[in-house]
Amino acid sequence: MRDKIVNYIRAGYPGIYIVSHEEQRVEAEIKSVADALEYRLFAWSTTAGLVDTADGQARQANDPLDAIEAVEELPENSLVLLRDFHAFLEDGNPVLVRALKDSLARCKTLGKCLIILGCRQVLPAELERELCVIHFTLPDKPQLGVVLDGICQSAGLPIAAGDDRDRILDAATGLTSAEAENAYALAVIECRNVDPAVVAREKALTVKKKGLLEIVEVQETLDDIGGLDLLKNWLVQRREAFGERAREYRLPSPKGVLLLGVPGTGKSLCAKASASVLQRPLIKLDMGALMGSLVGESEANLRAAIHVAEAIAPCIVWIDELDKGLAGSKSSGASDGGTSARVFGSLISWMQERTAPVFIIATANDVTQLPPELLRKGRWDEIFWTDLPNLVERQAIWEIKVAQCGRDPKQYDLADLASVSDGYTGAEIEGVVADSLYRAFADNREPTTEDMQQSLRDTVPLSKLSDQVDALRKWSRGRARPATSPEPESKHRRIAA
Ligand SMILES: Nc1ncnc2c1ncn2[C@@H]1O[C@H](COP(=O)(O)OP(=O)(O)OP(=O)(O)O)[C@@H](O)[C@H]1O
Ligand SMILES: [Mg+2]
């Protein structure tokens, strides 16, 4: 980051806008930039005025316009760090915008550079071309390690090393330095050492507090999924895709997969299980909240979310119910001033250009809501279609669901249940099992195959209620790869015939 800023200044950029929540880290970085360039560094804030960082002398210039005026008196080759300045740009005050524009023009000729530091990007259109924007990256592992060493030292603990250190730093990536410091310190207070589990828990809370992302604790594995063999195989092939061996092999990092299909057929379940397969953290992006943010905030929020995900990478970003989040993006501007369309555009371009190893797994069922550009070949490694489960799959689902409620599947006629549950989704079978448990519990006995058959008769599956499933299925043909191989069902049919 330091070199990047140095290069901008050497190239004569008169203004830089740094977006970051980490004032202290950015300030330290700017200090080292000033040292490298042998520039003088001045720092402005609305409370302290314009301070010469070399001798601490302050000029009374607490108003932003006064600050701009004071910059005029500074010597050549000066850097000016403007701390609260972005807040004054928010309402687009034309006098301030003009003063800044003029000042930037003069700075250019005198080798001065104004550096605005704000936690969010507030850039009136008039200044977009005058300032270059840098999103300050979150601290990397070595930087988080320095903070860790500081905590270990002050707590009188040995410096964490080896695998322990890796686990702690893995748990902390995605946090700012201050957040990591707090998480380490809390772990020391709770367990007398820096326990990675505490750091990971604090990170999950911190990430969730920011609104759009949630780190999901995953228990689900491929064994919890009945059927969907092709999708499972596909995931298994990528089991080690983020490992050292894959890097040495020069395996391209997997980009992502889109799961389309009938509601209740296990798409979200597969997304969760993929985290167990790939053994990376699963971060859920809440599209509804993203699109629901205030106009202008949505894009900034998406950028912030991307930053966190990239810092935690390699990781899996799970976008559940993509169709619901994108419902507004097709109407481009008709309903929300174009925000959805713009946010969608940023999301797509990140998907296309990202270099960090972030695997995206998205799910959707109302394909008509998805903009066609999202379905273009090359956008995803694969687009899978999850259909109603076939006979063999239904039997596997019955077995899993019965076992999950603590009963021995061998005590039930699963073959019969599978055959009479034609047209039911995994979610509906799960509901039937729960219903028969209630039935039996009320009579103070164990559930039987007959209870399940009765519950089945009492449940009308969605596929019989509407022609939505047929419409979805038709749409999927040729556009998405089936998640299930056709073999088992056809084999069964041959046997039955
Ligand atoms: N193939 C399956 N194997 C095991 N469980 C399944 C399967 N399909 C669905 N289920 C169960 O049904 C429930 C709903 O599944 P899930 O949420 O994954 O469906 P979905 O495809 O994401 O549905 P929607 O499109 O409505 O979001 C889950 O509790 C899941 O365990
Ligand atoms: Mg789902």
Side-chain angles (χ1 to χ4, degrees):
M1 193 53 79
R2 192 190 80 153
D3 293 345
K4 190 170 169 183
I5 301 171
V6 166
N7 287 346
Y8 275 126
I9 296 172
R10 282 220 171 102
Y13 280 66
I16 298 175
Y17 191 131
I18 298 181
V19 186
S20 171
H21 277 278
E22 299 186 89
E23 271 197 354
Q24 282 182 351
R25 237 184 95 223
V26 176
E27 283 171 26
E29 199 83 341
I30 298 300
K31 173 90 180 57
S32 75
V33 168
D35 290 346
L37 291 166
E38 297 184 5
Y39 272 36
R40 289 180 63 179
L41 176 62
F42 297 84
W44 179 81
S45 74
T46 183
T47 46
L50 189 65
V51 178
D52 184 338
T53 59
D55 57 15
Q57 260 197 356
R59 287 177 171 74
Q60 285 301 315
N62 301 49
D63 182 88
L65 274 172
D66 294 343
I68 296 287
E69 228 174 273
V71 167
E72 301 297 315
E73 298 156 19
L74 300 182
E76 286 187 19
N77 298 343
S78 294
L79 293 187
V80 187
L81 181 67
L82 299 165
R83 279 203 209 93
D84 309 310
F85 209 85
H86 67 290
F88 295 96
L89 292 174
E90 207 138 30
D91 57 4
N93 174 354
V95 181
L96 184 60
V97 170
R98 167 50 58 196
L100 184 58
K101 225 172 159 167
D102 290 347
S103 176
L104 286 167
R106 284 190 295 273
C107 284
K108 198 170 173 63
T109 55
L110 294 171
K112 295 183 204 172
C113 180
L114 305 182
I115 301 175
I116 297 176
L117 165 59
C119 59
R120 53 183 190 283
Q121 188 178 328
V122 187
L123 204 51
E126 293 82 354
L127 293 170
E128 267 168 17
R129 282 159 195 269
E130 320 291 327
L131 292 159
C132 75
V133 178
I134 296 178
H135 291 267
F136 207 71
T137 46
L138 286 163
D140 57 14
K141 284 191 189 161
Q143 286 164 327
L144 290 167
V146 172
V147 181
L148 175 64
D149 296 343
I151 288 284
C152 289
Q153 260 162 12
S154 62
L157 293 168
I159 299 291
D163 285 352
D164 275 350
R165 187 181 184 86
D166 284 347
R167 273 199 298 277
I168 298 168
L169 297 182
D170 254 349
T173 49
L175 293 175
T176 64
S177 300
E179 287 164 350
E181 190 173 41
N182 287 341
Y184 297 154
L186 187 68
V188 171
I189 288 169
E190 281 187 16
C191 342
R192 300 229 172 85
N193 68 37
V194 188
D195 182 347
V198 176
V199 178
R201 184 195 72 204
E202 285 310 297
K203 179 169 75 181
L205 291 173
T206 310
V207 167
K208 192 164 181 192
K209 199 170 65 189
K210 291 177 189 161
L212 287 182
L213 296 179
E214 184 185 347
I215 298 178
V216 183
E217 279 295 330
V218 174
Q219 266 93 40
E220 289 81 356
T221 68
L222 290 187
D223 294 339
D224 295 311
I225 307 171
L228 308 180
D229 56 329
L230 294 181
L231 171 55
K232 284 199 269 193
N233 287 345
W234 190 91
L235 286 171
V236 169
Q237 274 180 1
R238 280 146 189 82
R239 189 186 287 275
E240 290 182 56
F242 292 120
E244 195 59 47
R245 207 169 67 85
R247 247 198 314 278
E248 280 166 13
Y249 194 82
R250 302 223 182 167
L251 198 68
S253 188
K255 277 191 291 198
V257 61
L258 174 61
L259 308 181
L260 302 173
V262 178
T265 47
K267 298 182 294 295
S268 303
L269 175 62
C270 287
K272 285 186 252 174
S274 70
S276 315
V277 181
L278 300 173
Q279 296 183 28
R280 298 306 313 166
L282 181 69
I283 311 174
K284 188 170 171 189
L285 173 67
D286 185 341
M287 278 299 280
L290 173 63
M291 294 304 190
S293 340
L294 293 174
V295 174
E297 269 180 23
S298 293
E299 286 152 297
N301 287 347
L302 177 63
R303 259 197 304 269
I306 287 172
H307 255 76
V308 173
E310 291 193 334
I312 299 177
C315 64
I316 303 166
V317 169
W318 171 26
I319 310 178
D320 205 25
E321 312 202 333
L322 186 62
D323 43 341
K324 307 227 163 57
L326 292 180
S329 70
K330 285 209 309 183
S331 53
S332 183
S335 52
D336 63 359
T339 304
S340 314
R342 272 203 312 278
V343 171
F344 170 66
S346 319
L347 184 66
I348 288 263
S349 62
W350 174 62
M351 283 171 59
Q352 199 70 39
E353 287 152 21
R354 72 183 184 281
T355 47
V358 176
F359 180 74
I360 299 181
I361 184 157
T363 72
N365 48 53
D366 187 358
V367 286
T368 58
Q369 291 297 338
L370 297 180
E373 15 345 346
L374 197 66
L375 300 165
R376 231 183 44 211
K377 283 256 175 285
R379 193 77 72 199
W380 309 90
D381 294 325
E382 196 59 87
I383 300 179
F384 276 106
W385 164 257
T386 61
D387 208 330
L388 290 171
N390 63 31
L391 182 89
V392 176
E393 292 184 299
R394 290 196 299 277
Q395 180 152 344
I397 295 173
W398 278 105
E399 189 174 341
I400 290 167
K401 296 299 158 195
V402 168
Q404 276 175 351
C405 66
R407 300 323 195 268
D408 178 6
K410 290 200 198 76
Q411 304 299 316
Y412 296 84
D413 187 350
L414 299 182
D416 179 71
L417 287 167
S419 114
V420 291
S421 53
D422 190 12
Y424 289 72
T425 62
E428 285 161 344
I429 293 176
E430 186 175 79
V432 165
V433 173
D435 186 60
S436 34
L437 278 183
Y438 272 103
R439 212 178 272 269
F441 182 70
D443 295 345
N444 205 13
R445 58 181 175 78
E446 273 299 289
T448 61
T449 301
E450 290 69 41
D451 288 320
M452 301 199 185
Q453 288 163 337
Q454 186 56 47
S455 299
L456 262 178
R457 281 192 289 276
D458 294 346
T459 314
V460 183
L462 178 76
S463 64
K464 302 229 162 81
L465 274 180
S466 81
D467 46 16
Q468 186 201 5
V469 171
D470 260 346
L472 287 175
R473 208 180 254 161
K474 250 190 223 130
W475 180 94
S476 79
R477 260 181 226 132
R479 287 188 166 106
R481 176 171 167 195
T484 304
S485 55
E487 290 310 306
E489 179 87 327
S490 52
K491 237 188 243 160
H492 164 76
R493 282 201 182 125
R494 273 203 299 279
I495 294 163

